[in-house]
Amino acid sequence: GAGVSQSPRYKVAKRGQDVALRCDPISGHVSLFWYQQALGQGPEFLTYFQNEAQLDKSGLPSDRFFAERPEGSVSTLKIQRTQQEDSAVYLCASSSTGGDYEQYFGPGTRLTVT
Amino acid sequence: AQKVTQAQTEISVVEKEDVTLDCVYETRDTTYYLFWYKQPPSGELVFLIRRNSFDEQNEISGRYSWNFQKSTSSFNFTITASQVVDSAVYFCALSGSPGLKRNTPLVFGKGTRLSVIA
């Protein structure tokens, strides 16, 4: 079946612009995670949804970051007034809760803020 | 707090050599999960293995093997007879035990870049 998809794959934004990154999880997966991966680093947790409920947003670095999953499927990560330090790859992962807790990752969106 | 340390930043080996990637973790949870992921140049994270804290049996899958030692909080990964296609960044990760109908985020190490030279 189809895996996790993310769009766009690449995004260049000028400092101060707002961006929206989309994640389509595997069909039926109730859990959805967003991670940020800076160059040369491991992914770092941003936020977590269980269906449409955002259960953990402790990793969001500032109030410029906002995520939603209104219908419990597709999720959008929005970054307002982008800064250069926001440049990173943003990874989305989904998983089920039926015993197989493996997180399946999408290809990521590479954001470059100029 | 949970933490994963991969002390080896980069490793280069010649094809057919064996190589071990080290992973040391810290957690106060009594139940937890350990993972290894591979990130090839394409960028997508590929799941390799998941281990829960109650299962200390070593595992072998083809040329891959994993050694979990709770006493030293280590979960090392060995590739036998390495191949050029093994070249990638490898991440060790840790998560708490999922609750009922709820998952927990992964805490990743910084990764080890493996280069296998023909």
Side-chain angles (χ1 to χ4, degrees), chain B residues 16-27:
Chain B
K16 297 184 183 177
E17 284 185 350
D18 299 347
V19 58
T20 295
L21 309 182
D22 298 334
C23 173
V24 174
Y25 63 91
E26 296 175 30
T27 181

Side-chain angles (χ1 to χ4, degrees), chain A residues 46-106:
Chain A
L46 293 177
T47 187
Y48 161 56
F49 289 86
Q50 187 82 331
N51 297 302
E52 69 279 1
Q54 189 174 21
L55 299 186
D56 188 346
K57 54 182 181 179
S58 61
L60 296 176
S62 78
D63 58 8
R64 296 186 295 103
F65 287 70
F66 171 76
E68 60 183 7
R69 194 186 185 198
E71 297 179 357
S73 179
V74 171
S75 177
T76 304
L77 177 67
K78 298 178 179 178
I79 309 173
Q80 297 177 324
R81 304 181 303 281
T82 52
Q83 305 292 317
Q84 282 194 321
E85 62 262 29
D86 300 334
S87 295
V89 175
Y90 291 85
L91 295 164
C92 176
S94 71
S95 70
S96 67
T97 55
D100 173 9
Y101 300 115
E102 177 191 340
Q103 293 185 21
Y104 296 83
F105 283 82

Side-chain angles (χ1 to χ4, degrees), chain A residues 35 37 48 50 95-96 101, chain B residues 37 39 47 101 103-104 106:
Chain A
Y35 294 85
Q37 185 176 19
Y48 161 56
Q50 187 82 331
S95 70
S96 67
Y101 300 115
Chain B
Y37 282 85
Q39 190 172 46
F47 168 81
K101 296 184 180 179
N103 280 327
T104 56
L106 296 171

Side-chain angles (χ1 to χ4, degrees), chain B residues 2-71:
Chain B
Q2 297 181 326
K3 183 179 178 181
V4 175
T5 301
Q6 295 180 256
Q8 303 150 308
T9 305
E10 294 190 35
I11 300 176
S12 286
V13 298
V14 176
E15 202 170 22
K16 297 184 183 177
E17 284 185 350
D18 299 347
V19 58
T20 295
L21 309 182
D22 298 334
C23 173
V24 174
Y25 63 91
E26 296 175 30
T27 181
R28 292 182 180 175
D29 292 345
T30 53
T31 304
Y32 50 89
Y33 285 80
L34 295 163
F35 303 77
W36 276 93
Y37 282 85
K38 175 181 180 180
Q39 190 172 46
S42 61
E44 195 155 344
L45 280 166
V46 178
F47 168 81
L48 296 178
I49 190 172
R50 178 182 70 244
R51 211 22 139 212
N52 76 52
S53 52
F54 294 109
D55 184 1
E56 287 194 69
Q57 271 193 328
N58 291 331
E59 182 157 339
I60 298 174
S61 176
R63 297 184 297 108
Y64 295 170
S65 63
W66 291 269
N67 182 291
F68 175 29
Q69 293 200 346
K70 227 170 167 178
S71 60

Side-chain angles (χ1 to χ4, degrees), chain B residues 76-117:
Chain B
N76 296 338
F77 173 32
T78 297
I79 302 174
T80 303
S82 59
Q83 300 176 2
V84 172
V85 294
D86 296 327
S87 297
V89 181
Y90 291 86
F91 290 98
C92 181
L94 166 71
S95 77
S97 176
L100 184 63
K101 296 184 180 179
R102 175 175 179 151
N103 280 327
T104 56
L106 296 171
V107 174
F108 286 85
K110 292 190 175 183
T112 297
R113 180 177 298 279
L114 174 65
S115 298
V116 181
I117 304 163

